C-alpha cells in the first residue's frame, strides 16, 4: 500500500510490481499472531523484525511480546567472522540460500543456521562444564 524505497529494492530485489495485489499487513497479522502466540521467535537481526511486528501489532491491537533468539547475536558471540549477515553465515556453514530475501527461503535458511549455532553453543557449554 506504499511504494518500496529504491534503496530497499536494490538490496532485496523486491519491486512494487511483485507485491501488487498481495495480502496487506492488516489482512494477515491476526493469523500470524495466532500462529506465533506463546512461541519463541527466531530471526536474523531479530530487533528489525520484532520492531515491525510490535509497531504493526500495536496498530491492530496485537501484543507481540514473544521472546526471541537472534542468529546475528549468536553468530557474533560464537564466531569470529568479518561479516555476519545471513548470506555470509549461510556460506560459512554451507547452508543453501537460493532466492535470498524471500520470506520462505530466508526462514528456512535461518532455521538451519539457528540449529548450527545452537549445536556450537551446546558443544561449547559441554566442553566448559
Amino acid at each position: 500500500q506504499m511504494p518500496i524505497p529504491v534503496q530497499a529494492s536494490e538490496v532485496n530485489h523486491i519491486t512494487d510490481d511483485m507485491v501488487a495485489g498481495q495480502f496487506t499487513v492488516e489482512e494477515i497479522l491476526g493469523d500470524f499472531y495466532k500462529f506465533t502466540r506463546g512461541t519463541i521467535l527466531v530471526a536474523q537481526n531479530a530487533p528489525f523484525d520484532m520492531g515491525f511486528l510490535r509497531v504493526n501489532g500495536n496498530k491492530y491491537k496485537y501484543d507481540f511480546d514473544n521472546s526471541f533468539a537472534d542468529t546475528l547475536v549468536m553468530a557474533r558471540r560464537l564466531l569470529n567472522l568479518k561479516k555476519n549477515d545471513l548470506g555470509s553465515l549461510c556460506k560459512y556453514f554451507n547452508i543453501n540460500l537460493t532466492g535470498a530475501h524471500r520470506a520462505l527461503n530466508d526462514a528456512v535458511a535461518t532455521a538451519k543456521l539457528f540449529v548450527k549455532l545452537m549445536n556450537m553453543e551446546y558443544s561449547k557449554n559441554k566442553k566448559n562444564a
Side-chain angles (χ1 to χ4, degrees), residues 107-127:
V108 169
T110 300
K112 290 177 180 180
L113 173 61
F114 178 70
V115 169
K116 298 271 189 189
L117 293 168
M118 285 299 295
N119 285 335
M120 285 183 73
E121 185 77 40
Y122 175 77
S123 296
K124 180 181 170 185
N125 289 337
K126 191 174 175 184
K127 233 188 281 184

Side-chain angles (χ1 to χ4, degrees), residues 72-99:
L72 175 62
V73 171
M74 294 171 73
R76 286 178 175 160
R77 185 177 66 243
L78 293 167
L79 304 168
N80 188 24
L81 302 177
K82 289 181 181 177
K83 294 177 74 178
N84 291 289
D85 59 275
L86 184 59
S88 298
L89 293 169
C90 285
K91 188 173 183 176
Y92 177 83
F93 283 109
N94 198 29
I95 296 169
N96 182 11
L97 184 56
T98 302

Side-chain angles (χ1 to χ4, degrees), residues 4 8-9 13 22 25 34 50 57 61 67-68 71 107 109 111 116-118 126 128:
I4 297 173
S9 287
H13 308 289
Q22 299 300 316
V25 170
K34 290 178 209 166
M50 293 307 298
K61 310 282 190 258
S67 296
F68 60 87
T71 53
K116 298 271 189 189
L117 293 168
M118 285 299 295
K126 191 174 175 184
N128 293 334

